[in-house]
Amino acid sequence: MPYALCFLLFMIGLYCAVVKKNMVKIVLGIMIMEYAVNLFLIMLGYLSGGVAPIINRADYDGQTQAIAAQFLNASVDPLPQALVLTSIVISLGSLALMISICIRTYAKYGTFDITEIRRLRG
Amino acid sequence: MALFYIYILLLFMVIAAIIAVETKDLLSAVICVGAIGFGGSLMFLFLRAPDIAITQIVVEVLGLIILIRATIARDLTFITGDREFFGTVVSVVILLVIVVAGIRVFNTMPEFGVPVFARIPETASQVYISRGLADTGATNVVTSVYLDYRAYDTLGEATVLFTAVIGATAILRSKSRKRLEESEA
């Protein structure tokens, strides 16, 4: 059921991005969706009772360069973690871009309301 | 016990998201989104992803600063009214259709706490864990994936970040370069 709560979080973000008419609210909705997706990907790799994918000295055999089977079976999935790391940093960049568009729009039209901006176009 | 904490934090995040969506004050909404982010960072700790937790905290602080910069000292931080009725109804119907489709997907999902790679032997994740230390010399498997096996991914990420920053500075610059030179001359 954690997946379902994560999906609920995503749907709240989508609702915010689609229905609200304030530009900053739309940006916040996109942010909420990003959190939900990142969380979902990490959850997919979670192993109940697992350990973080950091190898201890005891789990490594220097001669044969082999990892202990006990660690192999207990570690959570490292691949989604590495991909989500990329995604989090990119979300910061996209947030900066979206907010700068909001600030410029406010400076030009004096409002965050997208319906007002549409009305002022003609 | 970890599952209990995960449920509590998820409920906290959902409640914070609802408040962020429904509050009329923009600054409160921004702070609620910050609460979601820090709750997510704690979640990552419970999901055994310490690297993500650290990155999330740093990104969250920077993001909050950017968002507060956008909302503070604006006259109209209070919102009045929603969109017109017809558009809202259509959007909500489409969202409900997406919810129904999403619930059907949950039947095909693996049980929570059983990663996908546990069912299939010799996947990329298994190979990274078993050979990561010997191949790259990094005891942290996430580091070995992030900076060695998928280093081009990281390069692409840096490119995207650079492009986003260029875009933001180009948008936020108030005077064009030509006009700046004219005013100096």
Side-chain angles (χ1 to χ4, degrees):
Chain A
M1 277 303 102
Y3 292 136
L5 280 172
C6 210
F7 183 60
L8 180 64
L9 195 64
F10 180 84
M11 290 313 292
I12 292 169
L14 192 58
Y15 168 80
C16 186
V18 169
V19 171
K20 296 294 169 182
K21 62 178 187 175
N22 188 297
M23 284 183 82
V24 178
K25 273 287 177 76
I26 292 171
V27 173
L28 294 184
I30 294 171
M31 290 290 289
I32 294 173
M33 284 199 283
E34 277 167 359
Y35 292 138
V37 170
N38 290 341
L39 203 56
F40 175 70
L41 286 175
I42 295 289
M43 275 179 179
L44 270 184
Y46 178 65
L47 179 70
S48 42
V51 296
I54 297 171
I55 300 166
N56 282 320
R57 189 173 288 273
D59 293 324
Y60 181 64
D61 189 354
Q63 254 83 50
T64 56
Q65 294 194 329
I67 307 293
Q70 161 213 353
F71 180 78
L72 266 178
N73 293 325
S75 167
V76 298
D77 198 343
L79 185 56
Q81 297 195 10
L83 298 183
V84 166
L85 210 56
T86 311
S87 149
I88 287 177
V89 177
I90 286 177
S91 80
L92 179 68
S94 65
L95 170 72
L97 194 58
M98 286 188 290
I99 284 297
S100 58
I101 291 173
C102 288
I103 291 174
R104 286 301 283 177
T105 315
Y106 188 88
K108 190 160 172 59
Y109 294 107
T111 177
F112 279 134
D113 193 330
I114 52 171
T115 52
E116 290 289 323
I117 293 162
R118 190 180 60 195
R119 210 166 290 152
L120 288 171
R121 184 186 58 192
Chain B
M1 201 60 196
L3 199 62
F4 174 71
Y5 287 128
I6 286 168
Y7 274 120
I8 295 285
L9 276 170
L10 264 173
L11 279 176
F12 169 74
M13 287 169 75
V14 168
I15 291 167
I18 291 171
I19 295 172
V21 171
E22 286 307 326
T23 183
K24 296 284 179 206
D25 186 13
L26 270 188
L27 198 57
S28 316
V30 166
I31 289 167
C32 283
V33 168
I36 303 170
F38 285 115
S41 153
L42 273 177
M43 272 291 283
F44 290 139
L45 271 186
F46 283 114
L47 293 171
R48 302 288 185 271
D51 311 271
I52 314 279
I54 296 165
T55 318
Q56 173 85 17
I57 284 182
V58 173
V59 165
E60 196 52 47
V61 170
L62 285 173
L64 268 183
I65 292 169
I66 295 171
L67 276 168
I68 289 176
R69 163 73 181 79
T71 51
I72 210 161
R74 295 280 187 272
D75 307 330
L76 289 169
T77 52
F78 285 89
I79 309 157
T80 48
D82 272 343
R83 281 202 203 185
E84 56 268 29
F85 182 70
F86 180 71
T88 310
V89 168
V90 171
S91 326
V92 169
V93 168
I94 292 172
L95 288 181
L96 283 178
V97 171
I98 296 175
V99 167
V100 171
I103 286 171
R104 290 180 66 86
V105 173
F106 282 117
N107 299 329
T108 66
M109 298 277 294
E111 196 78 7
F112 179 71
V114 182
V116 178
F117 81 98
R119 298 191 300 181
I120 311 157
E122 290 293 313
T123 51
S125 313
Q126 292 280 39
V127 173
Y128 290 152
I129 295 175
S130 60
R131 296 231 313 268
L133 182 53
D135 281 356
T136 66
T139 51
N140 190 340
V141 183
V142 176
T143 312
S144 67
V145 175
Y146 188 61
L147 292 176
D148 197 296
Y149 289 116
R150 287 171 187 266
Y152 280 119
D153 214 2
T154 313
L155 183 69
E157 170 208 322
T159 315
V160 171
L161 201 60
F162 186 61
T163 316
V165 169
I166 287 179
T169 45
I171 290 168
L172 280 178
R173 192 172 56 191
S174 53
K175 275 185 179 174
S176 68
R177 178 171 297 231
K178 203 175 175 184
R179 210 175 291 168
L180 270 177
E181 282 166 0
E182 279 171 6
S183 65
E184 279 169 8

